């Protein structure tokens, strides 16, 4: 009897020390939402599949966004080439058909698979580097830092892909066909300007993607936490919840990224030598001639694209992760 009392006392004391009233509920919620151990390699493969889903869902509105951002300033007495997102879509369909909306898609498909694979790998690695133990749950600032690391990782792939995509998209709008396709574009750029011509706009791509990627992944994780019922794990989220969280993450991402994206598109498609001081010259010209609002050119097209494209991306990522967890649980 005496031994039973001592055992009960030890159990009660241990429970009091490890589950105080102020922390027990929070710990239980965190543990219920704790995801499977972070695997950067699984993130790599699942991110690549998510990127393919994103391109197919979002490229038409990306084409419209670039054409709105790079349309020339009208001469006195003339009107803008495109009055807005709907007008740009109508004129593109009338002139080029549905294929016009998918112009230049080969470059992002070739680039997006490895780019999103590297992006999600960078995020997974950033999380893993900040964990002291595999069970550590990261704070939102730590998630933001991991997201920013992913933005650095992707720039080497993203910058040339964006350069080629933008050049192909605007040449179709102008009617002057200089490049036969993505590979021809790469060859001509390299022949005329060397490797620097292909990587033109890298600094602006970094300025866009580093903070935007931090916001992208942090907002997705935050929304997943909000949408996951008490006592459930993230892996049990419904498809509509994943689509909503992914779509909203895309909107948060672009809310941060669009001013730098406007500068990047303008700089990457400008004739060589037009902006000798880089993005500072682009920024001064835009503000002087078109005002601060010009930094949000293509805003409607960006936001219309952001939700479905990123919803598709994260759904593809989550489905691929489930498949990989089933196929190779120890990877």
């Amino acid at each position: 009897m005496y031994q039973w009392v001592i055992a009960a006392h030890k159990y009660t004391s241990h429970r009091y020390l490890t589950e105080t009233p102020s922390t027990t509920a929070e710990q239980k919620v965190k543990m219920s939402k704790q995801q499977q151990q972070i695997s950067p390699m699984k993130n790599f493969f699942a991110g690549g599949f998510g990127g393919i889903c994103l391109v197919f869902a979002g490229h038409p509105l990306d084409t419209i966004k670039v054409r709105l951002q790079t349309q020339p300033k009208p001469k006195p007495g003339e009107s803008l080439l495109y009055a807005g997102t709907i007008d740009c879509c109508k004129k593109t369909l009338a002139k080029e058909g549905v294929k016009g909306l998918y112009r230049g898609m080969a470059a992002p498909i070739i680039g997006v698979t490895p780019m999103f694979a590297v992006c999600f790998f960078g995020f997974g690695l950033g999380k893993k580097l900040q964990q002291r133990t595999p069970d550590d749950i990261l704070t939102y600032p730590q998630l933001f830092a991991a997201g920013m690391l992913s933005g650095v990782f992707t720039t080497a792939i993203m910058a040339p892909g964006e350069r080629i995509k933008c050049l192909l998209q605007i040449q179709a709008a102008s009617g002057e066909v200089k490049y036969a396709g993505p590979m021809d574009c790469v060859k001509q750029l390299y022949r005329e300007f060397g490797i620097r011509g292909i990587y033109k706009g890298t600094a602006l791509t970094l300025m866009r993607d580093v903070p935007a990627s931090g916001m992208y992944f942090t907002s997705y994780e935050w929304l997943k936490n909000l949408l996951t019922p008490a006592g459930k794990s993230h892996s049990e989220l419904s498809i509509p919840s994943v689509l909503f969280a992914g779509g909203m993450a895309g909107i948060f991402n672009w809310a941060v990224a669009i001013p730098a994206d406007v500068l990047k598109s303008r700089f990457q498609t400008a004739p060589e030598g037009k902006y000798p001081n880089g993005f500072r010259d682009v920024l001064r010209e835009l503000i002087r001639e078109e005002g601060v609002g010009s930094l949000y050119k293509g805003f409607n097209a960006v936001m219309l694209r952001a939700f479905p494209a990123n919803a598709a991306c994260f759904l593809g990522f989550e489905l691929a992760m489930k498949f990989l967890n089933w196929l190779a649980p120890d990877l």
Side-chain angles (χ1 to χ4, degrees):
M1 180 71 176
Y2 178 70
Q3 290 176 334
W4 181 85
V5 171
I6 290 176
H9 174 71
K10 284 182 178 180
Y11 171 78
T12 306
S13 300
H14 174 73
R15 187 174 181 185
Y16 177 78
L17 289 170
T18 57
E19 296 188 4
T20 60
S22 61
T23 60
T24 302
E26 182 182 358
Q27 286 176 344
K28 284 182 177 179
V29 170
K30 284 183 175 180
M31 287 305 294
S32 70
K33 295 183 179 182
Q34 176 66 41
Q35 291 180 300
Q36 188 163 339
Q37 187 173 335
I38 296 166
S39 169
M41 285 309 299
K42 284 180 184 174
N43 276 32
F44 180 86
F45 293 115
F49 182 71
I52 292 172
C53 296
L54 178 141
V55 172
F56 276 102
H59 192 78
L61 280 162
D62 185 71
T63 298
I64 292 168
K65 177 206 74 172
V66 170
R67 292 184 178 184
L68 287 171
Q69 289 176 345
T70 58
Q71 65 179 319
K73 186 182 178 184
K75 296 175 182 177
E78 293 182 354
S79 58
L80 283 166
L81 181 60
Y82 306 116
T85 302
I86 302 299
D87 183 53
C88 182
C89 182
K90 286 179 179 177
K91 287 180 177 175
T92 300
L93 288 171
K95 187 177 178 181
E96 304 168 55
V98 175
K99 287 176 67 176
L101 294 174
Y102 284 91
R103 192 77 62 185
M105 193 176 77
I109 279 287
I110 293 166
V112 152
T113 304
M115 188 271 292
F116 266 80
V118 169
C119 177
F120 279 84
F121 172 83
F123 180 58
L125 182 63
K127 290 195 294 183
K128 199 171 184 69
L129 288 173
Q130 295 180 90
Q131 285 185 316
R132 293 179 181 176
T133 68
D135 294 327
D136 280 354
I137 296 173
L138 300 180
T139 64
Y140 290 122
Q142 288 175 313
L143 291 170
F144 192 87
M148 288 197 297
L149 180 65
S150 78
V152 175
F153 272 46
T154 57
T155 297
I157 301 170
M158 193 71 161
E162 287 277 299
R163 168 93 155 122
I164 295 158
K165 172 180 71 70
C166 289
L167 287 172
L168 291 172
Q169 285 172 329
I170 65 160
Q171 80 163 7
S174 66
E176 297 177 11
V177 179
K178 183 179 179 182
Y179 308 111
M183 291 309 297
D184 183 53
C185 184
V186 172
K187 288 175 184 176
Q188 289 195 45
L189 287 173
Y190 185 75
R191 188 165 56 245
E192 291 180 45
F193 310 111
I195 196 70
R196 290 182 64 185
I198 297 171
Y199 276 87
K200 183 179 179 180
T202 298
L204 279 164
T205 306
L206 266 175
M207 287 173 59
R208 181 192 71 176
D209 289 349
V210 170
S213 295
M215 179 61 74
Y216 187 53
F217 286 108
T218 304
S219 58
Y220 180 65
E221 294 291 335
W222 170 62
L223 286 166
K224 281 207 301 182
N225 285 336
L226 285 181
L227 295 169
T228 302
K232 301 287 185 180
S233 70
H234 288 160
S235 61
E236 297 175 271
L237 269 180
S238 65
I239 287 176
S241 294
V242 172
L243 288 171
F244 178 76
M248 290 304 298
I251 287 175
F252 283 121
N253 170 83
W254 279 104
V256 173
I258 193 167
D261 187 63
V262 172
L263 296 176
K264 180 196 69 65
S265 295
R266 182 66 65 98
F267 182 69
Q268 286 185 319
T269 56
E272 200 66 26
K274 182 177 180 181
Y275 301 115
N277 296 313
F279 77 91
R280 288 172 295 177
D281 284 351
V282 186
L283 180 61
R284 276 194 290 264
E285 181 185 88
L286 278 172
I287 298 297
R288 184 178 64 250
E289 295 184 0
E290 303 177 49
V292 177
S294 62
L295 292 173
Y296 286 88
K297 271 188 172 183
F299 181 84
N300 290 339
V302 168
M303 291 305 171
L304 283 171
R305 170 186 177 270
F307 192 95
N310 289 283
C313 174
F314 274 108
L315 180 61
F317 171 78
E318 295 289 358
L319 291 175
M321 281 294 284
K322 283 187 177 181
F323 174 74
L324 289 170
N325 287 333
W326 169 79
L327 183 69
D330 298 323
L331 181 63

